[in-house]
Amino acid sequence: MECSFINESSSNSISPSPANRLPEKRPFAGALERMEVESRKLPSSQYKGVVPQPNGRWGAQIYEKHHRVWLGTFNEESDAAKVYDVAARRFRGHDAITNFKPTNSGNDLETHFLNSHSKGEIVDMLRKHTYDDELEQMKRNSGGRKRMSDGFSDSGREKEREQLFDKAVTPSDVGKLNRLVIPKQHAERHFPLQIGSGCKGVLLNFEDAGGKLWRFRYSYWNSSQSYVLTRGWSRFVKEKGLKPGDVVSFQMSTTPEKQRYIDWKPRKINSSNNSRAYMAEQPVQAVRLFGVNIFKARGRSNA
DNA sequence: CGTTGTGTTGAT
DNA sequence: TCAACACAACGG
């Protein structure tokens, strides 16, 4: 069958989405058309940085440089607006234009909290709706200790390994389904698969940090339109004791053999593994005082 | 499957 | 920079 790897093909064109608008307006019968369009139109928000969602909920977003940073979805329009405000202060300073409070003095605890975390960490909290909790917790420990980058983005040695991508595993990824969804973007870039014609997938070998070899079935599920690792995955989950939020990391050797590697890291405390531009930057200085890295200890059965 | 949040365009 | 719009990709 044709279910073999595409040999590191070069042209992985991103989705060709023309995104065309309505056809064209005929001279007359335009009234009905306009009514239809009007009826399916989403209500715009009165708040800055807040956009409606098709299901009646509200999204929050902020722009930096030329890129949108998504801040999550919320049931209440005002909640989304508050979240935007937090992001605005972190991204643009305490004088940023916001939806609600004009801004505080600038020396309060929340400002300190904001400046003690990277943009990526703040965005993560906002998206997960944990910002208020984290802020309160920080206030309780008035010491303001923080778990910083905790060496997550792999300060590291890629002697002959090239980092391909990370994924924070979902509950489903570590559940009973025996499958790991590979985000399509990464799957098609790094693990191209010959699709169509009833492809049952291929076997992929990975070497873990301990040198142990793992073999997973890799295929495309038409039902969910997802690339997945299936057979063999559950054993990896079990042996490593993977929990939701833990991050699996994929590498590949730069040598011609193209050996693949798989590794994992514990769930990140604050920030995500996302590595966008706004993620890269570190919190503003000032809290050099708390240079304490805290690693969460969690019972883990490992071999 | 229902929902997210990304791709994209066009305004300001 | 910003929101409107459409919908592919995602999680469960």
Side-chain angles (χ1 to χ4, degrees), chain A residues 9 16 23 47 65 82 107 144 159 207-208 222-223 233 243 249 259 301:
Chain A
S9 70
Y47 296 113
K65 279 293 288 181
K82 292 174 195 167
N107 292 332
K159 302 234 171 233
E207 185 180 317
D208 69 9
N222 290 304
S223 58
W233 174 247
K243 307 280 188 303
S249 178
Q259 169 70 49
S301 61

mmCIF file with all atom_site columns, all heavy atoms in Angstrom, chain A residues 9 16 23 47 65 82 107 144 159 207-208 222-223 233 243 249 259 301:
data_model
loop_
_atom_site.group_PDB
_atom_site.id
_atom_site.type_symbol
_atom_site.label_atom_id
_atom_site.label_alt_id
_atom_site.label_comp_id
_atom_site.label_asym_id
_atom_site.label_entity_id
_atom_site.label_seq_id
_atom_site.pdbx_PDB_ins_code
_atom_site.Cartn_x
_atom_site.Cartn_y
_atom_site.Cartn_z
_atom_site.occupancy
_atom_site.B_iso_or_equiv
_atom_site.pdbx_formal_charge
_atom_site.auth_seq_id
_atom_site.auth_comp_id
_atom_site.auth_asym_id
_atom_site.auth_atom_id
_atom_site.pdbx_PDB_model_num
ATOM 1   N N   . SER A 1 9   ? 9.059   15.629 2.725  1.00 0.00 ? 9   SER A N   1
ATOM 2   C CA  . SER A 1 9   ? 8.688   16.464 1.598  1.00 0.00 ? 9   SER A CA  1
ATOM 3   C C   . SER A 1 9   ? 8.780   17.935 1.952  1.00 0.00 ? 9   SER A C   1
ATOM 4   O O   . SER A 1 9   ? 8.573   18.337 3.081  1.00 0.00 ? 9   SER A O   1
ATOM 5   C CB  . SER A 1 9   ? 7.267   16.146 1.154  1.00 0.00 ? 9   SER A CB  1
ATOM 6   O OG  . SER A 1 9   ? 6.359   16.606 2.121  1.00 0.00 ? 9   SER A OG  1
ATOM 7   N N   . PRO A 1 16  ? -5.235  25.717 2.244  1.00 0.00 ? 16  PRO A N   1
ATOM 8   C CA  . PRO A 1 16  ? -5.650  26.695 1.238  1.00 0.00 ? 16  PRO A CA  1
ATOM 9   C C   . PRO A 1 16  ? -7.071  27.163 1.490  1.00 0.00 ? 16  PRO A C   1
ATOM 10  O O   . PRO A 1 16  ? -8.003  26.617 0.930  1.00 0.00 ? 16  PRO A O   1
ATOM 11  C CB  . PRO A 1 16  ? -5.547  25.914 -0.069 1.00 0.00 ? 16  PRO A CB  1
ATOM 12  C CG  . PRO A 1 16  ? -5.747  24.483 0.330  1.00 0.00 ? 16  PRO A CG  1
ATOM 13  C CD  . PRO A 1 16  ? -5.386  24.350 1.779  1.00 0.00 ? 16  PRO A CD  1
ATOM 14  N N   . PRO A 1 23  ? -21.354 35.714 -2.581 1.00 0.00 ? 23  PRO A N   1
ATOM 15  C CA  . PRO A 1 23  ? -21.127 35.758 -4.029 1.00 0.00 ? 23  PRO A CA  1
ATOM 16  C C   . PRO A 1 23  ? -21.111 37.177 -4.573 1.00 0.00 ? 23  PRO A C   1
ATOM 17  O O   . PRO A 1 23  ? -20.083 37.769 -4.733 1.00 0.00 ? 23  PRO A O   1
ATOM 18  C CB  . PRO A 1 23  ? -22.323 34.982 -4.589 1.00 0.00 ? 23  PRO A CB  1
ATOM 19  C CG  . PRO A 1 23  ? -22.774 34.098 -3.485 1.00 0.00 ? 23  PRO A CG  1
ATOM 20  C CD  . PRO A 1 23  ? -22.441 34.837 -2.215 1.00 0.00 ? 23  PRO A CD  1
ATOM 21  N N   . TYR A 1 47  ? -17.227 45.900 24.639 1.00 0.00 ? 47  TYR A N   1
ATOM 22  C CA  . TYR A 1 47  ? -15.919 45.952 25.299 1.00 0.00 ? 47  TYR A CA  1
ATOM 23  C C   . TYR A 1 47  ? -14.774 45.782 24.314 1.00 0.00 ? 47  TYR A C   1
ATOM 24  O O   . TYR A 1 47  ? -14.876 45.077 23.321 1.00 0.00 ? 47  TYR A O   1
ATOM 25  C CB  . TYR A 1 47  ? -15.820 44.870 26.370 1.00 0.00 ? 47  TYR A CB  1
ATOM 26  C CG  . TYR A 1 47  ? -16.797 45.045 27.508 1.00 0.00 ? 47  TYR A CG  1
ATOM 27  C CD1 . TYR A 1 47  ? -17.825 44.128 27.705 1.00 0.00 ? 47  TYR A CD1 1
ATOM 28  C CD2 . TYR A 1 47  ? -16.683 46.131 28.375 1.00 0.00 ? 47  TYR A CD2 1
ATOM 29  C CE1 . TYR A 1 47  ? -18.716 44.278 28.758 1.00 0.00 ? 47  TYR A CE1 1
ATOM 30  C CE2 . TYR A 1 47  ? -17.570 46.290 29.422 1.00 0.00 ? 47  TYR A CE2 1
ATOM 31  C CZ  . TYR A 1 47  ? -18.585 45.369 29.609 1.00 0.00 ? 47  TYR A CZ  1
ATOM 32  O OH  . TYR A 1 47  ? -19.458 45.527 30.639 1.00 0.00 ? 47  TYR A OH  1
ATOM 33  N N   . LYS A 1 65  ? 2.294   43.324 18.152 1.00 0.00 ? 65  LYS A N   1
ATOM 34  C CA  . LYS A 1 65  ? 2.963   43.328 16.847 1.00 0.00 ? 65  LYS A CA  1
ATOM 35  C C   . LYS A 1 65  ? 1.886   43.090 15.799 1.00 0.00 ? 65  LYS A C   1
ATOM 36  O O   . LYS A 1 65  ? 0.930   43.786 15.739 1.00 0.00 ? 65  LYS A O   1
ATOM 37  C CB  . LYS A 1 65  ? 4.052   42.253 16.794 1.00 0.00 ? 65  LYS A CB  1
ATOM 38  C CG  . LYS A 1 65  ? 5.333   42.692 17.441 1.00 0.00 ? 65  LYS A CG  1
ATOM 39  C CD  . LYS A 1 65  ? 5.986   43.819 16.652 1.00 0.00 ? 65  LYS A CD  1
ATOM 40  C CE  . LYS A 1 65  ? 6.562   43.280 15.341 1.00 0.00 ? 65  LYS A CE  1
ATOM 41  N NZ  . LYS A 1 65  ? 7.208   44.378 14.588 1.00 0.00 ? 65  LYS A NZ  1
ATOM 42  N N   . LYS A 1 82  ? -12.730 41.788 31.457 1.00 0.00 ? 82  LYS A N   1
ATOM 43  C CA  . LYS A 1 82  ? -11.764 41.860 32.557 1.00 0.00 ? 82  LYS A CA  1
ATOM 44  C C   . LYS A 1 82  ? -10.463 41.183 32.173 1.00 0.00 ? 82  LYS A C   1
ATOM 45  O O   . LYS A 1 82  ? -9.377  41.662 32.485 1.00 0.00 ? 82  LYS A O   1
ATOM 46  C CB  . LYS A 1 82  ? -12.348 41.187 33.804 1.00 0.00 ? 82  LYS A CB  1
ATOM 47  C CG  . LYS A 1 82  ? -13.517 41.929 34.422 1.00 0.00 ? 82  LYS A CG  1
ATOM 48  C CD  . LYS A 1 82  ? -14.113 41.093 35.550 1.00 0.00 ? 82  LYS A CD  1
ATOM 49  C CE  . LYS A 1 82  ? -15.498 41.626 35.931 1.00 0.00 ? 82  LYS A CE  1
ATOM 50  N NZ  . LYS A 1 82  ? -16.238 40.673 36.787 1.00 0.00 ? 82  LYS A NZ  1
ATOM 51  N N   . ASN A 1 107 ? 1.704   50.619 42.104 1.00 0.00 ? 107 ASN A N   1
ATOM 52  C CA  . ASN A 1 107 ? 2.599   49.968 43.055 1.00 0.00 ? 107 ASN A CA  1
ATOM 53  C C   . ASN A 1 107 ? 1.862   48.923 43.887 1.00 0.00 ? 107 ASN A C   1
ATOM 54  O O   . ASN A 1 107 ? 2.325   48.523 44.937 1.00 0.00 ? 107 ASN A O   1
ATOM 55  C CB  . ASN A 1 107 ? 3.222   51.001 44.001 1.00 0.00 ? 107 ASN A CB  1
ATOM 56  C CG  . ASN A 1 107 ? 4.171   51.906 43.232 1.00 0.00 ? 107 ASN A CG  1
ATOM 57  O OD1 . ASN A 1 107 ? 4.741   51.505 42.234 1.00 0.00 ? 107 ASN A OD1 1
ATOM 58  N ND2 . ASN A 1 107 ? 4.322   53.119 43.721 1.00 0.00 ? 107 ASN A ND2 1
ATOM 59  N N   . GLY A 1 144 ? 5.698   36.314 48.000 1.00 0.00 ? 144 GLY A N   1
ATOM 60  C CA  . GLY A 1 144 ? 5.683   36.454 46.553 1.00 0.00 ? 144 GLY A CA  1
ATOM 61  C C   . GLY A 1 144 ? 6.626   35.505 45.843 1.00 0.00 ? 144 GLY A C   1
ATOM 62  O O   . GLY A 1 144 ? 7.117   35.818 44.788 1.00 0.00 ? 144 GLY A O   1
ATOM 63  N N   . LYS A 1 159 ? 22.577  18.413 20.713 1.00 0.00 ? 159 LYS A N   1
ATOM 64  C CA  . LYS A 1 159 ? 23.810  18.104 20.017 1.00 0.00 ? 159 LYS A CA  1
ATOM 65  C C   . LYS A 1 159 ? 23.495  17.545 18.644 1.00 0.00 ? 159 LYS A C   1
ATOM 66  O O   . LYS A 1 159 ? 23.966  18.017 17.640 1.00 0.00 ? 159 LYS A O   1
ATOM 67  C CB  . LYS A 1 159 ? 24.611  17.091 20.807 1.00 0.00 ? 159 LYS A CB  1
ATOM 68  C CG  . LYS A 1 159 ? 24.920  17.593 22.208 1.00 0.00 ? 159 LYS A CG  1
ATOM 69  C CD  . LYS A 1 159 ? 26.405  17.540 22.488 1.00 0.00 ? 159 LYS A CD  1
ATOM 70  C CE  . LYS A 1 159 ? 26.739  18.226 23.782 1.00 0.00 ? 159 LYS A CE  1
ATOM 71  N NZ  . LYS A 1 159 ? 27.732  19.223 23.706 1.00 0.00 ? 159 LYS A NZ  1
ATOM 72  N N   . GLU A 1 207 ? 12.808  6.657  20.456 1.00 0.00 ? 207 GLU A N   1
ATOM 73  C CA  . GLU A 1 207 ? 13.696  6.322  21.566 1.00 0.00 ? 207 GLU A CA  1
ATOM 74  C C   . GLU A 1 207 ? 13.467  7.307  22.682 1.00 0.00 ? 207 GLU A C   1
ATOM 75  O O   . GLU A 1 207 ? 13.421  8.523  22.457 1.00 0.00 ? 207 GLU A O   1
ATOM 76  C CB  . GLU A 1 207 ? 15.155  6.369  21.092 1.00 0.00 ? 207 GLU A CB  1
ATOM 77  C CG  . GLU A 1 207 ? 16.142  5.923  22.142 1.00 0.00 ? 207 GLU A CG  1
ATOM 78  C CD  . GLU A 1 207 ? 17.576  6.002  21.604 1.00 0.00 ? 207 GLU A CD  1
ATOM 79  O OE1 . GLU A 1 207 ? 17.808  5.605  20.457 1.00 0.00 ? 207 GLU A OE1 1
ATOM 80  O OE2 . GLU A 1 207 ? 18.447  6.495  22.351 1.00 0.00 ? 207 GLU A OE2 1
ATOM 81  N N   . ASP A 1 208 ? 13.294  6.799  23.901 1.00 0.00 ? 208 ASP A N   1
ATOM 82  C CA  . ASP A 1 208 ? 13.048  7.720  24.998 1.00 0.00 ? 208 ASP A CA  1
ATOM 83  C C   . ASP A 1 208 ? 14.358  8.124  25.658 1.00 0.00 ? 208 ASP A C   1
ATOM 84  O O   . ASP A 1 208 ? 15.440  7.733  25.218 1.00 0.00 ? 208 ASP A O   1
ATOM 85  C CB  . ASP A 1 208 ? 12.064  7.133  26.008 1.00 0.00 ? 208 ASP A CB  1
ATOM 86  C CG  . ASP A 1 208 ? 12.666  5.974  26.783 1.00 0.00 ? 208 ASP A CG  1
ATOM 87  O OD1 . ASP A 1 208 ? 13.900  5.727  26.653 1.00 0.00 ? 208 ASP A OD1 1
ATOM 88  O OD2 . ASP A 1 208 ? 11.923  5.311  27.502 1.00 0.00 ? 208 ASP A OD2 1
ATOM 89  N N   . ASN A 1 222 ? -10.098 9.454  9.944  1.00 0.00 ? 222 ASN A N   1
ATOM 90  C CA  . ASN A 1 222 ? -11.010 10.275 9.156  1.00 0.00 ? 222 ASN A CA  1
ATOM 91  C C   . ASN A 1 222 ? -12.192 10.753 10.000 1.00 0.00 ? 222 ASN A C   1
ATOM 92  O O   . ASN A 1 222 ? -12.714 11.839 9.785  1.00 0.00 ? 222 ASN A O   1
ATOM 93  C CB  . ASN A 1 222 ? -11.523 9.476  7.956  1.00 0.00 ? 222 ASN A CB  1
ATOM 94  C CG  . ASN A 1 222 ? -10.431 9.250  6.926  1.00 0.00 ? 222 ASN A CG  1
ATOM 95  O OD1 . ASN A 1 222 ? -9.823  10.187 6.447  1.00 0.00 ? 222 ASN A OD1 1
ATOM 96  N ND2 . ASN A 1 222 ? -10.156 7.986  6.620  1.00 0.00 ? 222 ASN A ND2 1
ATOM 97  N N   . SER A 1 223 ? -12.579 9.929  10.950 1.00 0.00 ? 223 SER A N   1
ATOM 98  C CA  . SER A 1 223 ? -13.774 10.283 11.738 1.00 0.00 ? 223 SER A CA  1
ATOM 99  C C   . SER A 1 223 ? -13.584 11.612 12.456 1.00 0.00 ? 223 SER A C   1
ATOM 100 O O   . SER A 1 223 ? -14.485 12.436 12.507 1.00 0.00 ? 223 SER A O   1
ATOM 101 C CB  . SER A 1 223 ? -14.065 9.192  12.747 1.00 0.00 ? 223 SER A CB  1
ATOM 102 O OG  . SER A 1 223 ? -12.955 9.001  13.599 1.00 0.00 ? 223 SER A OG  1
ATOM 103 N N   . TRP A 1 233 ? 0.712   3.285  22.482 1.00 0.00 ? 233 TRP A N   1
ATOM 104 C CA  . TRP A 1 233 ? 0.719   4.546  23.223 1.00 0.00 ? 233 TRP A CA  1
ATOM 105 C C   . TRP A 1 233 ? 0.354   4.362  24.691 1.00 0.00 ? 233 TRP A C   1
ATOM 106 O O   . TRP A 1 233 ? 0.919   4.982  25.580 1.00 0.00 ? 233 TRP A O   1
ATOM 107 C CB  . TRP A 1 233 ? -0.229  5.548  22.563 1.00 0.00 ? 233 TRP A CB  1
ATOM 108 C CG  . TRP A 1 233 ? -0.374  6.794  23.358 1.00 0.00 ? 233 TRP A CG  1
ATOM 109 C CD1 . TRP A 1 233 ? -1.475  7.242  24.003 1.00 0.00 ? 233 TRP A CD1 1
ATOM 110 C CD2 . TRP A 1 233 ? 0.657   7.758  23.621 1.00 0.00 ? 233 TRP A CD2 1
ATOM 111 N NE1 . TRP A 1 233 ? -1.210  8.416  24.653 1.00 0.00 ? 233 TRP A NE1 1
ATOM 112 C CE2 . TRP A 1 233 ? 0.087   8.753  24.437 1.00 0.00 ? 233 TRP A CE2 1
ATOM 113 C CE3 . TRP A 1 233 ? 2.007   7.866  23.262 1.00 0.00 ? 233 TRP A CE3 1
ATOM 114 C CZ2 . TRP A 1 233 ? 0.823   9.854  24.893 1.00 0.00 ? 233 TRP A CZ2 1
ATOM 115 C CZ3 . TRP A 1 233 ? 2.738   8.948  23.712 1.00 0.00 ? 233 TRP A CZ3 1
ATOM 116 C CH2 . TRP A 1 233 ? 2.150   9.926  24.518 1.00 0.00 ? 233 TRP A CH2 1
ATOM 117 N N   . LYS A 1 243 ? 0.193   12.232 33.206 1.00 0.00 ? 243 LYS A N   1
ATOM 118 C CA  . LYS A 1 243 ? -1.053  12.834 33.682 1.00 0.00 ? 243 LYS A CA  1
ATOM 119 C C   . LYS A 1 243 ? -1.439  13.963 32.740 1.00 0.00 ? 243 LYS A C   1
ATOM 120 O O   . LYS A 1 243 ? -0.576  14.517 32.045 1.00 0.00 ? 243 LYS A O   1
ATOM 121 C CB  . LYS A 1 243 ? -0.851  13.404 35.081 1.00 0.00 ? 243 LYS A CB  1
ATOM 122 C CG  . LYS A 1 243 ? -0.281  12.431 36.088 1.00 0.00 ? 243 LYS A CG  1
ATOM 123 C CD  . LYS A 1 243 ? -1.355  11.497 36.644 1.00 0.00 ? 243 LYS A CD  1
ATOM 124 C CE  . LYS A 1 243 ? -0.828  10.673 37.790 1.00 0.00 ? 243 LYS A CE  1
ATOM 125 N NZ  . LYS A 1 243 ? 0.358   9.862  37.451 1.00 0.00 ? 243 LYS A NZ  1
ATOM 126 N N   . SER A 1 249 ? 7.399   15.432 24.316 1.00 0.00 ? 249 SER A N   1
ATOM 127 C CA  . SER A 1 249 ? 8.277   16.203 23.439 1.00 0.00 ? 249 SER A CA  1
ATOM 128 C C   . SER A 1 249 ? 8.850   15.289 22.374 1.00 0.00 ? 249 SER A C   1
ATOM 129 O O   . SER A 1 249 ? 9.258   14.169 22.666 1.00 0.00 ? 249 SER A O   1
ATOM 130 C CB  . SER A 1 249 ? 9.396   16.817 24.284 1.00 0.00 ? 249 SER A CB  1
ATOM 131 O OG  . SER A 1 249 ? 10.289  17.532 23.475 1.00 0.00 ? 249 SER A OG  1
ATOM 132 N N   . GLN A 1 259 ? 16.593  9.379  13.153 1.00 0.00 ? 259 GLN A N   1
ATOM 133 C CA  . GLN A 1 259 ? 16.046  8.666  14.302 1.00 0.00 ? 259 GLN A CA  1
ATOM 134 C C   . GLN A 1 259 ? 15.127  9.594  15.080 1.00 0.00 ? 259 GLN A C   1
ATOM 135 O O   . GLN A 1 259 ? 15.433  10.751 15.288 1.00 0.00 ? 259 GLN A O   1
ATOM 136 C CB  . GLN A 1 259 ? 17.190  8.185  15.209 1.00 0.00 ? 259 GLN A CB  1
ATOM 137 C CG  . GLN A 1 259 ? 16.753  7.667  16.559 1.00 0.00 ? 259 GLN A CG  1
ATOM 138 C CD  . GLN A 1 259 ? 16.008  6.352  16.450 1.00 0.00 ? 259 GLN A CD  1
ATOM 139 O OE1 . GLN A 1 259 ? 16.458  5.428  15.784 1.00 0.00 ? 259 GLN A OE1 1
ATOM 140 N NE2 . GLN A 1 259 ? 14.862  6.285  17.103 1.00 0.00 ? 259 GLN A NE2 1
ATOM 141 N N   . SER A 1 301 ? 5.242   6.382  39.156 1.00 0.00 ? 301 SER A N   1
ATOM 142 C CA  . SER A 1 301 ? 5.836   5.060  38.990 1.00 0.00 ? 301 SER A CA  1
ATOM 143 C C   . SER A 1 301 ? 6.615   5.034  37.695 1.00 0.00 ? 301 SER A C   1
ATOM 144 O O   . SER A 1 301 ? 6.052   5.155  36.629 1.00 0.00 ? 301 SER A O   1
ATOM 145 C CB  . SER A 1 301 ? 4.732   4.006  38.955 1.00 0.00 ? 301 SER A CB  1
ATOM 146 O OG  . SER A 1 301 ? 3.877   4.251  37.872 1.00 0.00 ? 301 SER A OG  1
#
